[in-house]
Amino acid sequence: MKMIQNPVLLGFNPDPSILRVEDNYYIAVSTFEWFPGVQIYHSRDLVNWELIGYPLTRSSQLNMLGNLNSGGVWAPCLSYSAGTYYLIFTDVKSRKGAFKDTHNYLVTAESITGPWSDPIYLNSSGFDPSLFHDEDGKKWLVNMIWDHRKGTNSFAGIALQEYSVKEQKLVGPIRNIFKGTELRKTEAPHVYKRNGYYYLLTAEGGTEYDHAATMARSRSLFGPYEVDPMNPILTSDKSDEDQLQKAGHGCLVETQNGEWYMAHLCGRPVIDKKCILGRETAIQKCYWTDDDWLRIENGPNPSKEVPAPDLPVSEAATIPLHDDFNEETLALHWNALRRTFEEKWYSLKDRPGYLRLYGEESMNSFHRQSMVMRRLEHFQVELETSVEFEPENFQQMAGLMIHYDTEDHVYLRITEHETLGKCIGIIETKYGSYDELLEKDIALPNDQPIYLKAVIHDHLLQFYYRLDTDEWQQIGEKIDIGHLSDDDSDYVRFTGTFVGMAAQDLSGQHKKADFDYFNYNILT
């Protein structure tokens, strides 16, 4: 029997929205402050998944300069109707304190690979919007409502409003159709229709260890909604950290053969409930009871191994482990922080065979950082690159970055020192506090490539460096990178660890750094 091995999308791939169009399956996931916006994966068998692109690739669609950590693109919803793909997403501009500025948009395309339209603004009343296409042709937007007032339930219910394709805007009355259950924090609404019922699938309990998926139903789209007596229909067993944790934020799909599956987010802690890879995507098999309620097979807890649907096996291209930067464009798995890929700060053409980064703002910046990064997808991994960089002052840096956000990152960087000259050292920013981990940086020769390596075993990171003909030299001690996680912060956050190459020039001279390759080696 074919089996789905969970998670199906490793590393930072949260808030899945799953869709079937004929024989093709797609999952769209949140990207938060990383650019391009919204990753879309494709499969034909629900077992093998391939990254095929991003809908939000232009600044006219998504401008995140200045967005705070764990802002940006939240909870996309991918749907299809009458030859058109619809993608709904939130761009979160503020989220700390009482208020959340959450602007909801719609983009469309005739092909899943685009081109995708410029966005249509919808509303800002809350986040996690999704679009339901009813059988009568009407389209309805649902999203959670955020209530900032003192003494209220901040997650104030699920708003429903009609979307007019002709007018390209929301029309008619706004209805609060569901206030949630005792689990609270009701969000991530999706509406489905089956056997005369409208089903409202929501996430509750918060996106941490109490996360859950809950179901309610009604004969009318406008309610009232009856809560499933067996809720939650999906949640994790917190007593067993070897199993998938944080399960919730589900989305349903029916196969060509009438089988049902739920895509949902999950987490895998490595130590002290810290998930350094971020929230990932898993898939569970479902069934309907005789009285028309949905159940997870062997649920409500998620399974790491799930029977696959009765579909032909279809292989999918995996993300490459080596990049020598010999192509004219970056591979799909590379991301930038908050900004579009523009040749004023990076280039594959200025020096063919190299990724050139022009240093810009600091690692604290919410605006113009020069970073090319990929998701950390495995607990045991070896990362390697080579850089040619000739800094002229201490404000110019380049090297190998292990990054969660502006508050938490670890950086093996090359710079210039007044007495040492060109040198290498380690910067760690932990909980927002800057530190340099070596007592004294190590002097380097000029005018030759410097090779950089990071070895990660679960929550421990060890850096190395070498010159052209030398052996690898350990630099510094093992570093605990448990702080590179959602779970090690005094304020909830939502992304995951990225690894890759970075350059800074705080003097504003845009000093260049040339990276020859990047290796991502999975260790066993």
mmCIF file of all heavy atoms in Angstrom, residues 353-393:
data_model
loop_
_atom_site.group_PDB
_atom_site.id
_atom_site.type_symbol
_atom_site.label_atom_id
_atom_site.label_comp_id
_atom_site.label_asym_id
_atom_site.label_seq_id
_atom_site.Cartn_x
_atom_site.Cartn_y
_atom_site.Cartn_z
ATOM 1 N N GLY A 353 28.467 32.663 -13.152
ATOM 2 C CA GLY A 353 28.901 31.548 -12.330
ATOM 3 C C GLY A 353 28.948 31.869 -10.852
ATOM 4 O O GLY A 353 29.281 31.004 -10.039
ATOM 5 N N TYR A 354 28.597 33.096 -10.492
ATOM 6 C CA TYR A 354 28.601 33.527 -9.094
ATOM 7 C C TYR A 354 27.293 34.253 -8.779
ATOM 8 O O TYR A 354 26.718 34.909 -9.641
ATOM 9 C CB TYR A 354 29.766 34.481 -8.804
ATOM 10 C CG TYR A 354 31.119 33.827 -8.796
ATOM 11 C CD1 TYR A 354 31.769 33.515 -9.992
ATOM 12 C CD2 TYR A 354 31.755 33.513 -7.598
ATOM 13 C CE1 TYR A 354 33.013 32.912 -9.997
ATOM 14 C CE2 TYR A 354 33.008 32.913 -7.588
ATOM 15 C CZ TYR A 354 33.634 32.615 -8.783
ATOM 16 O OH TYR A 354 34.870 32.011 -8.777
ATOM 17 N N LEU A 355 26.891 34.145 -7.522
ATOM 18 C CA LEU A 355 25.836 35.002 -6.997
ATOM 19 C C LEU A 355 26.513 36.209 -6.367
ATOM 20 O O LEU A 355 27.271 36.076 -5.401
ATOM 21 C CB LEU A 355 25.012 34.262 -5.941
ATOM 22 C CG LEU A 355 24.038 35.127 -5.131
ATOM 23 C CD1 LEU A 355 22.942 35.689 -6.007
ATOM 24 C CD2 LEU A 355 23.459 34.351 -3.961
ATOM 25 N N ARG A 356 26.263 37.374 -6.922
ATOM 26 C CA ARG A 356 26.831 38.599 -6.378
ATOM 27 C C ARG A 356 25.774 39.317 -5.547
ATOM 28 O O ARG A 356 24.672 39.590 -6.026
ATOM 29 C CB ARG A 356 27.342 39.502 -7.485
ATOM 30 C CG ARG A 356 27.820 40.876 -7.006
ATOM 31 C CD ARG A 356 28.618 41.599 -8.065
ATOM 32 N NE ARG A 356 29.927 40.950 -8.273
ATOM 33 C CZ ARG A 356 30.836 41.382 -9.156
ATOM 34 N NH1 ARG A 356 30.565 42.440 -9.932
ATOM 35 N NH2 ARG A 356 31.987 40.756 -9.280
ATOM 36 N N LEU A 357 26.137 39.613 -4.304
ATOM 37 C CA LEU A 357 25.283 40.416 -3.435
ATOM 38 C C LEU A 357 25.953 41.753 -3.181
ATOM 39 O O LEU A 357 27.150 41.805 -2.878
ATOM 40 C CB LEU A 357 25.039 39.706 -2.093
ATOM 41 C CG LEU A 357 24.295 38.370 -2.119
ATOM 42 C CD1 LEU A 357 24.097 37.850 -0.703
ATOM 43 C CD2 LEU A 357 22.955 38.489 -2.831
ATOM 44 N N TYR A 358 25.177 42.811 -3.303
ATOM 45 C CA TYR A 358 25.655 44.145 -2.968
ATOM 46 C C TYR A 358 25.141 44.483 -1.575
ATOM 47 O O TYR A 358 23.928 44.511 -1.339
ATOM 48 C CB TYR A 358 25.157 45.168 -3.992
ATOM 49 C CG TYR A 358 25.758 44.965 -5.361
ATOM 50 C CD1 TYR A 358 25.096 44.223 -6.342
ATOM 51 C CD2 TYR A 358 27.002 45.504 -5.678
ATOM 52 C CE1 TYR A 358 25.643 44.034 -7.603
ATOM 53 C CE2 TYR A 358 27.574 45.321 -6.941
ATOM 54 C CZ TYR A 358 26.888 44.581 -7.893
ATOM 55 O OH TYR A 358 27.442 44.389 -9.139
ATOM 56 N N GLY A 359 26.072 44.736 -0.653
ATOM 57 C CA GLY A 359 25.701 44.958 0.732
ATOM 58 C C GLY A 359 24.798 46.168 0.898
ATOM 59 O O GLY A 359 25.028 47.220 0.304
ATOM 60 N N GLU A 360 23.785 45.996 1.734
ATOM 61 C CA GLU A 360 22.899 47.112 2.055
ATOM 62 C C GLU A 360 22.676 47.178 3.559
ATOM 63 O O GLU A 360 23.647 47.258 4.310
ATOM 64 C CB GLU A 360 21.605 47.025 1.254
ATOM 65 C CG GLU A 360 21.838 47.251 -0.242
ATOM 66 C CD GLU A 360 20.616 47.748 -0.971
ATOM 67 O OE1 GLU A 360 19.982 48.711 -0.496
ATOM 68 O OE2 GLU A 360 20.289 47.171 -2.023
ATOM 69 N N GLU A 361 21.456 47.090 4.034
ATOM 70 C CA GLU A 361 21.166 47.421 5.425
ATOM 71 C C GLU A 361 21.516 46.281 6.381
ATOM 72 O O GLU A 361 21.829 45.166 5.977
ATOM 73 C CB GLU A 361 19.696 47.833 5.553
ATOM 74 C CG GLU A 361 19.398 49.118 4.790
ATOM 75 C CD GLU A 361 17.946 49.522 4.795
ATOM 76 O OE1 GLU A 361 17.092 48.742 5.250
ATOM 77 O OE2 GLU A 361 17.645 50.643 4.331
ATOM 78 N N SER A 362 21.403 46.569 7.686
ATOM 79 C CA SER A 362 21.828 45.639 8.723
ATOM 80 C C SER A 362 20.836 44.499 8.910
ATOM 81 O O SER A 362 19.710 44.530 8.405
ATOM 82 C CB SER A 362 21.981 46.386 10.054
ATOM 83 O OG SER A 362 20.695 46.629 10.620
ATOM 84 N N MET A 363 21.254 43.534 9.715
ATOM 85 C CA MET A 363 20.408 42.381 10.016
ATOM 86 C C MET A 363 19.184 42.760 10.847
ATOM 87 O O MET A 363 18.276 41.955 11.008
ATOM 88 C CB MET A 363 21.220 41.312 10.756
ATOM 89 C CG MET A 363 22.369 40.753 9.948
ATOM 90 S SD MET A 363 23.850 41.782 10.054
ATOM 91 C CE MET A 363 24.473 41.362 11.666
ATOM 92 N N ASN A 364 19.147 43.982 11.359
ATOM 93 C CA ASN A 364 17.987 44.466 12.116
ATOM 94 C C ASN A 364 16.938 45.127 11.236
ATOM 95 O O ASN A 364 15.843 45.449 11.702
ATOM 96 C CB ASN A 364 18.420 45.488 13.166
ATOM 97 C CG ASN A 364 19.175 44.865 14.313
ATOM 98 O OD1 ASN A 364 19.204 43.647 14.456
ATOM 99 N ND2 ASN A 364 19.800 45.688 15.127
ATOM 100 N N SER A 365 17.264 45.344 9.970
ATOM 101 C CA SER A 365 16.408 46.167 9.121
ATOM 102 C C SER A 365 15.127 45.451 8.709
ATOM 103 O O SER A 365 15.143 44.256 8.386
ATOM 104 C CB SER A 365 17.169 46.587 7.859
ATOM 105 O OG SER A 365 16.306 47.277 6.974
ATOM 106 N N PHE A 366 14.031 46.218 8.679
ATOM 107 C CA PHE A 366 12.761 45.733 8.144
ATOM 108 C C PHE A 366 12.584 46.155 6.684
ATOM 109 O O PHE A 366 11.476 46.058 6.144
ATOM 110 C CB PHE A 366 11.591 46.294 8.949
ATOM 111 C CG PHE A 366 11.453 45.730 10.336
ATOM 112 C CD1 PHE A 366 10.646 46.353 11.269
ATOM 113 C CD2 PHE A 366 12.113 44.570 10.718
ATOM 114 C CE1 PHE A 366 10.487 45.851 12.550
ATOM 115 C CE2 PHE A 366 11.968 44.053 11.994
ATOM 116 C CZ PHE A 366 11.161 44.693 12.908
ATOM 117 N N HIS A 367 13.647 46.630 6.056
ATOM 118 C CA HIS A 367 13.495 47.200 4.725
ATOM 119 C C HIS A 367 14.374 46.512 3.674
ATOM 120 O O HIS A 367 13.898 45.627 2.984
ATOM 121 C CB HIS A 367 13.759 48.711 4.770
ATOM 122 C CG HIS A 367 12.730 49.472 5.519
ATOM 123 N ND1 HIS A 367 12.754 49.610 6.899
ATOM 124 C CD2 HIS A 367 11.622 50.127 5.100
ATOM 125 C CE1 HIS A 367 11.692 50.304 7.294
ATOM 126 N NE2 HIS A 367 10.996 50.638 6.217
ATOM 127 N N ARG A 368 15.649 46.872 3.574
ATOM 128 C CA ARG A 368 16.454 46.469 2.416
ATOM 129 C C ARG A 368 17.676 45.661 2.844
ATOM 130 O O ARG A 368 18.791 46.152 2.862
ATOM 131 C CB ARG A 368 16.858 47.704 1.607
ATOM 132 C CG ARG A 368 15.649 48.407 0.992
ATOM 133 C CD ARG A 368 16.013 49.733 0.361
ATOM 134 N NE ARG A 368 14.847 50.365 -0.229
ATOM 135 C CZ ARG A 368 13.987 51.122 0.467
ATOM 136 N NH1 ARG A 368 14.196 51.352 1.755
ATOM 137 N NH2 ARG A 368 12.942 51.655 -0.128
ATOM 138 N N GLN A 369 17.430 44.416 3.182
ATOM 139 C CA GLN A 369 18.531 43.507 3.474
ATOM 140 C C GLN A 369 18.925 42.752 2.209
ATOM 141 O O GLN A 369 18.059 42.377 1.405
ATOM 142 C CB GLN A 369 18.140 42.524 4.565
ATOM 143 C CG GLN A 369 17.974 43.146 5.933
ATOM 144 C CD GLN A 369 18.154 42.124 7.033
ATOM 145 O OE1 GLN A 369 19.094 41.339 7.016
ATOM 146 N NE2 GLN A 369 17.254 42.138 8.014
ATOM 147 N N SER A 370 20.224 42.506 2.059
ATOM 148 C CA SER A 370 20.729 41.722 0.924
ATOM 149 C C SER A 370 20.974 40.299 1.406
ATOM 150 O O SER A 370 22.041 39.966 1.932
ATOM 151 C CB SER A 370 22.018 42.342 0.385
ATOM 152 O OG SER A 370 21.772 43.633 -0.131
ATOM 153 N N MET A 371 19.954 39.466 1.252
ATOM 154 C CA MET A 371 20.014 38.076 1.685
ATOM 155 C C MET A 371 19.353 37.201 0.636
ATOM 156 O O MET A 371 18.284 37.535 0.124
ATOM 157 C CB MET A 371 19.293 37.886 3.029
ATOM 158 C CG MET A 371 19.896 38.660 4.176
ATOM 159 S SD MET A 371 18.855 38.618 5.667
ATOM 160 C CE MET A 371 18.772 36.876 5.988
ATOM 161 N N VAL A 372 19.983 36.073 0.306
ATOM 162 C CA VAL A 372 19.389 35.049 -0.543
ATOM 163 C C VAL A 372 19.383 33.765 0.276
ATOM 164 O O VAL A 372 20.437 33.212 0.596
ATOM 165 C CB VAL A 372 20.167 34.882 -1.858
ATOM 166 C CG1 VAL A 372 19.639 33.684 -2.646
ATOM 167 C CG2 VAL A 372 20.055 36.152 -2.701
ATOM 168 N N MET A 373 18.185 33.293 0.615
ATOM 169 C CA MET A 373 18.034 32.264 1.636
ATOM 170 C C MET A 373 17.086 31.156 1.177
ATOM 171 O O MET A 373 16.214 31.385 0.332
ATOM 172 C CB MET A 373 17.484 32.890 2.921
ATOM 173 C CG MET A 373 18.238 34.124 3.410
ATOM 174 S SD MET A 373 19.847 33.741 4.083
ATOM 175 C CE MET A 373 19.377 33.118 5.693
ATOM 176 N N ARG A 374 17.246 29.989 1.779
ATOM 177 C CA ARG A 374 16.328 28.875 1.554
ATOM 178 C C ARG A 374 15.905 28.316 2.912
ATOM 179 O O ARG A 374 16.550 28.555 3.938
ATOM 180 C CB ARG A 374 16.970 27.786 0.706
ATOM 181 C CG ARG A 374 18.252 27.189 1.277
ATOM 182 C CD ARG A 374 18.544 25.831 0.680
ATOM 183 N NE ARG A 374 17.554 24.858 1.119
ATOM 184 C CZ ARG A 374 17.351 23.675 0.535
ATOM 185 N NH1 ARG A 374 18.054 23.333 -0.532
ATOM 186 N NH2 ARG A 374 16.447 22.833 0.994
ATOM 187 N N ARG A 375 14.809 27.567 2.898
ATOM 188 C CA ARG A 375 14.299 26.987 4.130
ATOM 189 C C ARG A 375 15.231 25.891 4.650
ATOM 190 O O ARG A 375 15.736 25.090 3.872
ATOM 191 C CB ARG A 375 12.905 26.381 3.885
ATOM 192 C CG ARG A 375 11.819 27.423 3.777
ATOM 193 C CD ARG A 375 10.626 26.920 2.973
ATOM 194 N NE ARG A 375 9.562 27.928 2.976
ATOM 195 C CZ ARG A 375 9.589 29.030 2.247
ATOM 196 N NH1 ARG A 375 10.612 29.271 1.432
ATOM 197 N NH2 ARG A 375 8.587 29.898 2.304
ATOM 198 N N LEU A 376 15.402 25.866 5.975
ATOM 199 C CA LEU A 376 15.995 24.705 6.627
ATOM 200 C C LEU A 376 14.904 23.647 6.736
ATOM 201 O O LEU A 376 13.865 23.884 7.351
ATOM 202 C CB LEU A 376 16.526 25.085 8.007
ATOM 203 C CG LEU A 376 17.191 23.960 8.804
ATOM 204 C CD1 LEU A 376 18.471 23.483 8.122
ATOM 205 C CD2 LEU A 376 17.478 24.398 10.234
ATOM 206 N N GLU A 377 15.147 22.471 6.135
ATOM 207 C CA GLU A 377 14.101 21.451 6.037
ATOM 208 C C GLU A 377 14.437 20.172 6.808
ATOM 209 O O GLU A 377 13.604 19.268 6.873
ATOM 210 C CB GLU A 377 13.859 21.089 4.568
ATOM 211 C CG GLU A 377 13.357 22.265 3.731
ATOM 212 C CD GLU A 377 13.143 21.890 2.285
ATOM 213 O OE1 GLU A 377 13.716 20.876 1.844
ATOM 214 O OE2 GLU A 377 12.401 22.601 1.594
ATOM 215 N N HIS A 378 15.645 20.084 7.358
ATOM 216 C CA HIS A 378 16.080 18.855 8.008
ATOM 217 C C HIS A 378 16.781 19.184 9.322
ATOM 218 O O HIS A 378 17.383 20.249 9.469
ATOM 219 C CB HIS A 378 17.023 18.069 7.090
ATOM 220 C CG HIS A 378 16.416 17.729 5.768
ATOM 221 N ND1 HIS A 378 16.445 18.601 4.699
ATOM 222 C CD2 HIS A 378 15.732 16.634 5.347
ATOM 223 C CE1 HIS A 378 15.807 18.044 3.669
ATOM 224 N NE2 HIS A 378 15.376 16.858 4.038
ATOM 225 N N PHE A 379 16.738 18.241 10.252
ATOM 226 C CA PHE A 379 17.362 18.447 11.556
ATOM 227 C C PHE A 379 18.865 18.189 11.538
ATOM 228 O O PHE A 379 19.589 18.685 12.392
ATOM 229 C CB PHE A 379 16.704 17.540 12.599
ATOM 230 C CG PHE A 379 15.263 17.865 12.847
ATOM 231 C CD1 PHE A 379 14.274 16.926 12.588
ATOM 232 C CD2 PHE A 379 14.888 19.096 13.342
ATOM 233 C CE1 PHE A 379 12.938 17.221 12.824
ATOM 234 C CE2 PHE A 379 13.561 19.405 13.578
ATOM 235 C CZ PHE A 379 12.584 18.463 13.318
ATOM 236 N N GLN A 380 19.324 17.376 10.581
ATOM 237 C CA GLN A 380 20.747 17.056 10.476
ATOM 238 C C GLN A 380 21.202 17.491 9.084
ATOM 239 O O GLN A 380 20.828 16.872 8.083
ATOM 240 C CB GLN A 380 20.984 15.550 10.639
ATOM 241 C CG GLN A 380 20.126 14.870 11.692
ATOM 242 C CD GLN A 380 20.542 15.211 13.101
ATOM 243 O OE1 GLN A 380 21.696 15.548 13.347
ATOM 244 N NE2 GLN A 380 19.614 15.113 14.041
ATOM 245 N N VAL A 381 22.020 18.537 9.015
ATOM 246 C CA VAL A 381 22.365 19.084 7.713
ATOM 247 C C VAL A 381 23.729 19.760 7.775
ATOM 248 O O VAL A 381 24.171 20.235 8.829
ATOM 249 C CB VAL A 381 21.267 20.068 7.243
ATOM 250 C CG1 VAL A 381 21.264 21.330 8.082
ATOM 251 C CG2 VAL A 381 21.388 20.396 5.776
ATOM 252 N N GLU A 382 24.403 19.761 6.626
ATOM 253 C CA GLU A 382 25.673 20.457 6.474
ATOM 254 C C GLU A 382 25.518 21.469 5.347
ATOM 255 O O GLU A 382 25.107 21.122 4.239
ATOM 256 C CB GLU A 382 26.775 19.454 6.138
ATOM 257 C CG GLU A 382 28.156 20.053 5.997
ATOM 258 C CD GLU A 382 29.186 18.983 5.673
ATOM 259 O OE1 GLU A 382 29.744 18.384 6.606
ATOM 260 O OE2 GLU A 382 29.411 18.739 4.465
ATOM 261 N N LEU A 383 25.850 22.722 5.639
ATOM 262 C CA LEU A 383 25.704 23.820 4.688
ATOM 263 C C LEU A 383 27.085 24.339 4.331
ATOM 264 O O LEU A 383 27.949 24.467 5.203
ATOM 265 C CB LEU A 383 24.872 24.948 5.298
ATOM 266 C CG LEU A 383 23.604 24.527 6.032
ATOM 267 C CD1 LEU A 383 23.077 25.675 6.868
ATOM 268 C CD2 LEU A 383 22.563 24.021 5.057
ATOM 269 N N GLU A 384 27.284 24.663 3.057
ATOM 270 C CA GLU A 384 28.612 25.111 2.648
ATOM 271 C C GLU A 384 28.521 26.126 1.516
ATOM 272 O O GLU A 384 27.686 25.997 0.614
ATOM 273 C CB GLU A 384 29.444 23.910 2.187
ATOM 274 C CG GLU A 384 30.879 24.250 1.818
ATOM 275 C CD GLU A 384 31.640 23.044 1.287
ATOM 276 O OE1 GLU A 384 31.386 21.910 1.756
ATOM 277 O OE2 GLU A 384 32.484 23.243 0.385
ATOM 278 N N THR A 385 29.394 27.124 1.557
ATOM 279 C CA THR A 385 29.501 28.089 0.477
ATOM 280 C C THR A 385 30.929 28.605 0.409
ATOM 281 O O THR A 385 31.748 28.339 1.299
ATOM 282 C CB THR A 385 28.516 29.258 0.665
ATOM 283 O OG1 THR A 385 28.505 30.065 -0.514
ATOM 284 C CG2 THR A 385 28.882 30.124 1.855
ATOM 285 N N SER A 386 31.236 29.327 -0.657
ATOM 286 C CA SER A 386 32.527 29.978 -0.829
ATOM 287 C C SER A 386 32.260 31.423 -1.227
ATOM 288 O O SER A 386 31.417 31.689 -2.090
ATOM 289 C CB SER A 386 33.343 29.271 -1.915
ATOM 290 O OG SER A 386 34.458 30.043 -2.299
ATOM 291 N N VAL A 387 32.997 32.361 -0.608
ATOM 292 C CA VAL A 387 32.765 33.770 -0.885
ATOM 293 C C VAL A 387 34.086 34.482 -1.151
ATOM 294 O O VAL A 387 35.093 34.223 -0.490
ATOM 295 C CB VAL A 387 32.006 34.447 0.283
ATOM 296 C CG1 VAL A 387 32.783 34.367 1.588
ATOM 297 C CG2 VAL A 387 31.659 35.890 -0.053
ATOM 298 N N GLU A 388 34.058 35.367 -2.124
ATOM 299 C CA GLU A 388 35.162 36.288 -2.383
ATOM 300 C C GLU A 388 34.668 37.677 -2.001
ATOM 301 O O GLU A 388 33.716 38.200 -2.588
ATOM 302 C CB GLU A 388 35.589 36.233 -3.845
ATOM 303 C CG GLU A 388 36.176 34.884 -4.226
ATOM 304 C CD GLU A 388 36.603 34.813 -5.682
ATOM 305 O OE1 GLU A 388 37.064 35.848 -6.216
ATOM 306 O OE2 GLU A 388 36.450 33.733 -6.288
ATOM 307 N N PHE A 389 35.331 38.257 -1.023
ATOM 308 C CA PHE A 389 34.842 39.504 -0.413
ATOM 309 C C PHE A 389 36.041 40.243 0.153
ATOM 310 O O PHE A 389 36.834 39.672 0.907
ATOM 311 C CB PHE A 389 33.837 39.166 0.691
ATOM 312 C CG PHE A 389 33.257 40.341 1.415
ATOM 313 C CD1 PHE A 389 32.609 41.358 0.725
ATOM 314 C CD2 PHE A 389 33.343 40.425 2.802
ATOM 315 C CE1 PHE A 389 32.058 42.442 1.410
ATOM 316 C CE2 PHE A 389 32.792 41.500 3.496
ATOM 317 C CZ PHE A 389 32.155 42.511 2.787
ATOM 318 N N GLU A 390 36.193 41.486 -0.228
ATOM 319 C CA GLU A 390 37.324 42.299 0.227
ATOM 320 C C GLU A 390 36.803 43.563 0.926
ATOM 321 O O GLU A 390 36.752 44.642 0.347
ATOM 322 C CB GLU A 390 38.230 42.672 -0.959
ATOM 323 C CG GLU A 390 38.779 41.473 -1.722
ATOM 324 C CD GLU A 390 39.618 40.549 -0.854
ATOM 325 O OE1 GLU A 390 40.280 41.053 0.092
ATOM 326 O OE2 GLU A 390 39.607 39.328 -1.098
ATOM 327 N N PRO A 391 36.407 43.427 2.184
ATOM 328 C CA PRO A 391 35.862 44.577 2.911
ATOM 329 C C PRO A 391 36.935 45.640 3.161
ATOM 330 O O PRO A 391 38.127 45.328 3.286
ATOM 331 C CB PRO A 391 35.373 43.959 4.215
ATOM 332 C CG PRO A 391 36.239 42.750 4.404
ATOM 333 C CD PRO A 391 36.479 42.215 3.034
ATOM 334 N N GLU A 392 36.491 46.869 3.250
ATOM 335 C CA GLU A 392 37.399 47.987 3.489
ATOM 336 C C GLU A 392 37.225 48.599 4.866
ATOM 337 O O GLU A 392 38.084 49.383 5.300
ATOM 338 C CB GLU A 392 37.166 49.061 2.416
ATOM 339 C CG GLU A 392 37.466 48.568 1.007
ATOM 340 C CD GLU A 392 37.012 49.543 -0.062
ATOM 341 O OE1 GLU A 392 36.269 50.494 0.289
ATOM 342 O OE2 GLU A 392 37.383 49.362 -1.221
ATOM 343 N N ASN A 393 36.134 48.238 5.547
ATOM 344 C CA ASN A 393 35.930 48.752 6.904
ATOM 345 C C ASN A 393 34.976 47.835 7.657
ATOM 346 O O ASN A 393 34.382 46.908 7.074
ATOM 347 C CB ASN A 393 35.400 50.193 6.874
ATOM 348 C CG ASN A 393 34.057 50.306 6.179
ATOM 349 O OD1 ASN A 393 33.050 49.776 6.660
ATOM 350 N ND2 ASN A 393 34.010 50.985 5.042
#
